[in-house]
Amino acid sequence: MNITKVQDRTDPVTIIKPSKGWSFIDFRELWRYRELIYFLVWRDVKVRYKQTLLGAAWAILKPFLSMVIFTVIFAGLAKLETDGAPPPVFYYAGLLPWVLFQDGVAKAGNSLVSGSNLITKVYFPRIAIPLASVTAGLVDFGLAFLILVGMMFYYGVAPTHAVWALPLFLILALVTSLGVGLWLSALNVAYRDVGYVTPFLLQAWMYASPVVYSTSIIPEGWARVAYGLNPMAGVVQGFRWAILGGQAPPAGLLALSVGVALTFLITGILYFRRTERTFADVV
């Protein structure tokens, strides 16, 4: 949005006009609304588990119960390799960044439609809504990460020297989640089919990522290159490597994952900004 102030003899008047053409984020404007983003994050955290019997415990139970199922089916029945790590720790370490990404995309994709009352009444940077939805997932991630620390202690798994890289892979997961979430949130305003397609997209994306298997089963060569087009492949493999050690993610795979994640983010921002002028009319 283009905002200009007209000064007269009494009080200043602020005129809000829709931005024209393609534009990027106005970081100064976003910074002015930082308190709104904080309250949107806090609202998402409170609403997520409102009127539930277990409350915030679901932040822990969701990846934990999935880990139990994966351990029984893929490690117990299918006998898939876990790179020498205890299967529960292996699967839980892969689920943490994936659940952060999955929940961020799902919440951000539906954020504009669910926040239609706010969008149609007051002006603020619309990108604040999906941004808050993705950021709110860090609270759940922090709670679930404490369980991982306890599991590592129980199974005698010591942190590796690469644990410093965890924040980097966490940022990469957030960048990917926000980029995809911006695309889906803007598309969902015009085409509500997106809300029905998103769960199937995320389900297929999970099995295309090394959440339930090791990347060692992916053949070398072009198969690895194609696999690197999935940015979550680098995130999940890198997250496990930073915690459990073993073979580090290839530099080429990481570079490709980062490139695709940034492409999602930049194009998502541009498309979001291009279409946000119509949100209040369509939503």
Side-chain angles (χ1 to χ4, degrees), residues 70-85 87 90-91 211-214 216-217:
F70 291 165
T71 300
V72 172
I73 295 177
F74 295 104
L77 300 179
K79 305 296 183 182
L80 292 182
E81 292 293 331
T82 57
D83 295 336
F90 177 86
Y91 291 122
V211 177
V212 298
Y213 54 85
S214 171
S216 60
I217 68 174

Side-chain angles (χ1 to χ4, degrees), residues 110-222:
N110 194 48
S111 60
L112 296 180
V113 174
S114 61
S116 58
N117 291 334
L118 187 61
I119 291 175
T120 55
K121 291 179 180 178
V122 295
Y123 170 74
F124 59 93
R126 308 310 192 199
I127 201 171
I129 296 182
L131 177 61
S133 298
V134 172
T135 307
L138 288 173
V139 177
D140 291 355
F141 177 86
L143 294 174
F145 188 82
L146 296 177
I147 301 302
L148 177 61
V149 174
M151 291 175 61
M152 293 174 64
F153 178 79
Y154 178 81
Y155 285 99
V157 178
T160 69
H161 66 281
V163 72
W164 61 268
L166 279 180
L168 301 180
F169 294 110
L170 182 62
I171 292 173
L172 183 57
L174 291 173
V175 167
T176 308
S177 180
L178 181 58
V180 177
L182 288 174
W183 269 106
L184 295 181
S185 62
L187 288 171
N188 196 29
V189 171
Y191 311 102
R192 301 302 166 85
D193 309 76
V194 174
Y196 298 101
V197 172
T198 299
F200 298 101
L201 170 67
L202 291 172
Q203 189 71 18
W205 201 328
M206 187 190 75
Y207 288 107
S209 306
V211 177
V212 298
Y213 54 85
S214 171
T215 53
S216 60
I217 68 174
I218 307 299
E220 297 285 349
W222 286 107

